[in-house]
Amino acid sequence: MSDRKSTPKAGTGAGTAPRAAAPEVSARAAALPREALEIAAGYAFTGPALHLGALLWEGGCLPDAQIRVPLPMLNRHGLVAGATGTGKTKTLQLIAEQLSAQGVPVFLADVKGDLSGVAAPGQPGDKVGARAAEVQQRWAAKGCPAEFYALGGIGRGIPVRATITSFGPVLLSKVLRLNPTQEQSLGLIFHYADTKGLELVDLKDLRAVVAFLTSDEGKGELKGIGGLSTATAGVILRSLTAFEAQGMADFFGEPEFDTGELLRTAQDGRGMVSVLELAAVQDRPQLFSTFLMWLLADLFHDLPEVGDADRPKLVFFFDEAHLLFDDASEAFLDAITRTVRLIRSKGVGVFFVTQTPKDVPADVLGQLGNRIQHALRAFTPDDQKALKATVKTFPNSSYDLEELLTGLGTGEAVVTVLSEKGAPTPVAATRLRAPESLMGPLDAAELERAVTSSALYGRYAQAVDRESAYERLQASRGGKGPDEIRGGKGPDEIREAVGGAGEHRARQQKEQPSVVEQVVGSGMFKSLARSVGTQIGREITRSVFGTARRRR
């Protein structure tokens, strides 16, 4: 750590709690250097807060200067960043434990497979004891109530699936790596399926609809709204085939996961920690990063507005966040930015976890009020550029941040959060507390027991293949397969069958009002529908990501 420091500039930490509101800091003023005291005063909150650790100053740890983050401010989003091996995962674990203890549910994306230990008590030892003593932590081994999930049931966990319809054309285009023109065409296909009541549950449903719309019988269906070229349809079909060949069909289907499960609390009032085990699919980054965005979009779609509450409804940790933004279209990034901005008012806090702030687009980064930056490396010119860019994202500070960030040890970080008044706190180099749960994965047998004994396992474990678009189109063609669309019944009979399905779907929607229907009359919603264009403009139950209302 650097010994270099300067007198804090006027206004550093402005808006933080005054010294008079923190008697525990004032009483120890003589024991702390003046500059360290000013930093500590910025973290002396009067309301409920999570304890991150103790202030680092001039190479030493000051346990009387505690660094905390106000609980109500955790829905203002955050960033946990740092090079590999600097302790980001343990920071997530530390925050998750304390949120759970305060009754706040937590979602953790476990890409490396080492977060399952959050459910078991930690193991005492010399290192843990020494760290606890350094930061004035009363360490006690505790586990959290936890549920374990796996995408499509690949890996150990309760299967998480989504239907093609609810996933929507925007997110699916990201997974299939379609270009903007192909994405618009996919939106038209979803539009047609929506209006005709053809439910797209799994990949074979989507293939069947695409095949119909490019057949002699169906190619006139979209003429009035732009049509679907044979070449674009071919690209979409080939992408779907390749996607399925990689074993990804299991992620789409029913029973679809109800994201409301993530908002549960345990019987003792602690928040449930939901761990999505992604180690088995970490070689499919486009898929799992987009699936995480679907979870957020679905929550955004369903949750009511709550404004500023005394605690979040859920804090969502989005690991390997850079994968979400890689090769993303401008429209996709715009939808992410809008979702992150608006979901705060629904009580959900989002923490992006990645290596450097530059991995996150500026429009998203600007919404992340809480920052925990672990060490960065500067071995190459690119590393040095990333380091300089990271320093520029912090408020003015008493530290030489370039030197500090390259000298931090494992379990140390530079912190700035939002105070209870919503103003940034002073930058604080921090030695972080030790998690009280197990710092490592659960034993495989223990994890399997936790999964199969869950009350949710029976609800989601077995896949269901009910009647949907594939079956209806097949029935309309006299039972022929999806690629035999040119045979069977004539175009009028097919359209009649499809139209009947649309009437059936319309009756279902009328019988199942949702929160979305309460806002479709608003000016903002109408403006959004106009901007989206013909491909999904009529689907008034679709969100900014094109995700649709689902049947629970």
Side-chain angles (χ1 to χ4, degrees):
M1 177 185 312
S2 170
D3 289 340
R4 177 183 167 187
K5 59 185 186 296
S6 60
T7 302
K9 298 177 177 62
T12 299
T16 57
R19 220 174 286 176
E24 70 278 14
V25 173
S26 298
R28 295 190 291 266
L32 295 176
R34 179 178 59 83
E35 292 166 310
L37 179 63
E38 290 177 357
I39 294 174
Y43 292 86
F45 310 120
T46 56
L50 307 187
H51 291 265
L52 298 178
L55 182 68
L56 286 169
W57 190 258
E58 295 186 339
C61 184
L62 305 178
D64 289 337
Q66 290 291 305
I67 305 303
R68 306 186 299 159
V69 55
L71 183 62
M73 291 295 111
L74 285 169
N75 73 333
R76 302 297 180 91
H77 310 319
L79 176 74
V80 179
T84 301
T86 56
K88 296 191 300 293
T89 300
K90 301 315 165 200
T91 298
L92 306 191
Q93 199 167 339
L94 173 67
I95 296 173
E97 292 171 355
Q98 295 184 67
L99 285 168
S100 175
Q102 299 258 20
V104 178
V106 180
F107 173 88
L108 297 173
D110 187 10
V111 177
K112 296 185 290 292
D114 53 3
L115 275 170
S116 58
V118 73
Q123 296 176 344
D126 292 341
K127 287 185 177 180
V128 170
R131 174 58 63 97
E134 282 181 325
V135 299
Q136 213 171 74
Q137 176 185 8
R138 295 180 180 177
W139 191 91
K142 298 174 192 169
C144 300
E147 294 279 13
F148 299 96
Y149 301 98
L151 287 185
I154 296 181
R156 293 187 178 90
I158 298 163
V160 174
R161 304 180 187 88
T163 64
I164 294 290
T165 283
S166 74
F167 206 73
V170 178
L171 293 176
L172 189 60
S173 295
K174 178 72 161 58
V175 171
L176 298 177
R177 301 189 179 191
L178 302 182
N179 65 32
T181 300
Q182 294 155 1
E183 179 180 330
Q184 291 170 4
S185 295
L186 188 62
L188 284 173
I189 295 165
F190 273 74
H191 164 81
Y192 176 79
D194 282 349
T195 56
K196 297 300 182 181
L198 294 171
E199 289 192 82
L200 305 177
V201 173
D202 50 28
L203 292 178
K204 71 178 185 298
D205 290 323
L206 182 56
R207 281 203 314 272
V209 173
V210 175
F212 171 69
L213 291 175
T214 54
S215 69
D216 292 340
E217 293 84 355
K219 62 185 178 183
E221 293 288 291
L222 297 182
K223 274 189 178 178
I225 52 174
L228 176 65
S229 76
T230 302
T232 298
V235 171
I236 293 172
L237 286 172
R238 286 193 297 273
S239 297
L240 288 171
T241 300
F243 188 70
E244 191 167 11
Q246 294 169 23
M248 299 187 184
D250 292 338
F251 303 116
F252 296 100
E254 291 182 320
E256 184 170 61
F257 182 69
D258 181 353
T259 52
E261 310 284 11
L262 304 179
L263 304 174
R264 295 183 303 130
T265 56
Q267 290 183 344
D268 60 6
R270 288 184 295 167
M272 191 67 69
V273 179
S274 299
V275 183
L276 182 62
E277 296 287 340
L278 296 171
V281 294
Q282 60 179 297
D283 59 336
R284 306 169 197 180
Q286 287 278 343
L287 176 71
F288 75 69
S289 63
T290 310
F291 237 94
L292 292 177
M293 199 65 232
W294 170 75
L295 291 173
L296 264 186
D298 196 71
L299 285 164
F300 172 74
H301 199 227
D302 288 355
L303 289 175
E305 297 277 339
V306 297
D308 291 323
D310 59 352
R311 67 188 62 219
K313 281 188 173 182
L314 173 72
V315 177
F316 190 105
F317 288 92
F318 203 126
D319 202 2
E320 299 292 341
H322 65 282
L323 297 171
L324 180 68
F325 305 112
D326 287 349
D327 301 321
S329 67
E330 186 175 341
F332 186 79
L333 292 176
D334 183 61
I336 293 174
T337 304
R338 188 182 300 117
T339 301
V340 172
R341 183 175 69 249
L342 297 178
I343 203 169
R344 180 192 69 78
S345 65
K346 300 194 173 191
V348 177
V350 183
F351 275 71
F352 291 97
V353 185
T354 189
Q355 295 205 2
T356 71
K358 74 179 184 64
D359 293 335
V360 181
D363 287 344
V364 176
L365 187 64
Q367 299 178 51
L368 310 182
N370 302 298
R371 301 276 301 280
I372 302 174
Q373 176 69 57
H374 289 263
L376 290 174
R377 308 303 178 211
F379 300 140
T380 69
D382 286 344
D383 290 342
Q384 291 169 0
K385 275 187 185 178
L387 175 61
K388 290 181 183 296
T390 297
V391 169
K392 289 179 181 178
T393 65
F394 280 90
N396 290 337
S397 151
S398 300
Y399 300 97
D400 178 348
L401 285 178
E402 282 193 38
E403 187 174 345
L404 175 60
L405 286 171
T406 56
L408 290 172
T410 301
E412 297 176 349
V414 172
V415 174
T416 180
V417 301
L418 293 181
S419 72
E420 291 167 311
K421 295 182 180 180
T425 59
V427 175
T430 306
R431 183 158 291 159
L432 298 167
R433 293 186 169 208
E436 296 181 329
S437 55
L438 183 64
M439 288 190 278
L442 283 179
D443 173 81
E446 191 174 353
L447 178 58
E448 187 67 23
R449 282 194 298 273
V451 171
T452 55
S453 63
S454 169
L456 301 181
Y457 186 75
R459 188 180 308 171
Y460 295 108
Q462 186 62 47
V464 175
D465 187 11
R466 65 179 175 84
E467 183 184 66
S468 49
Y470 170 83
E471 287 79 13
R472 287 175 179 171
L473 286 172
Q474 188 179 35
S476 73
R477 297 188 301 272
K480 294 183 181 291
D483 297 322
E484 299 175 272
I485 192 123
R486 289 178 172 80
K489 297 187 177 182
D492 292 338
E493 294 172 285
I494 292 177
R495 291 193 185 97
E496 182 180 351
V498 170
E503 293 173 8
H504 174 70
R505 173 62 174 250
R507 286 195 299 272
Q508 285 184 329
Q509 291 186 343
K510 188 173 181 181
E511 293 166 2
Q512 297 177 347
S514 77
V515 66
V516 178
E517 291 173 337
Q518 300 172 24
V519 299
V520 294
S522 69
M524 183 186 77
F525 190 93
K526 290 177 181 176
S527 175
L528 173 62
R530 285 193 299 270
S531 69
V532 171
T534 57
Q535 70 269 30
I536 59 174
R538 297 183 192 175
E539 282 80 78
I540 60 174
T541 60
R542 287 193 177 275
S543 74
V544 293
F545 266 109
T547 54
R549 183 186 65 193
R550 294 170 294 119
R551 300 195 310 173
R552 297 293 190 189

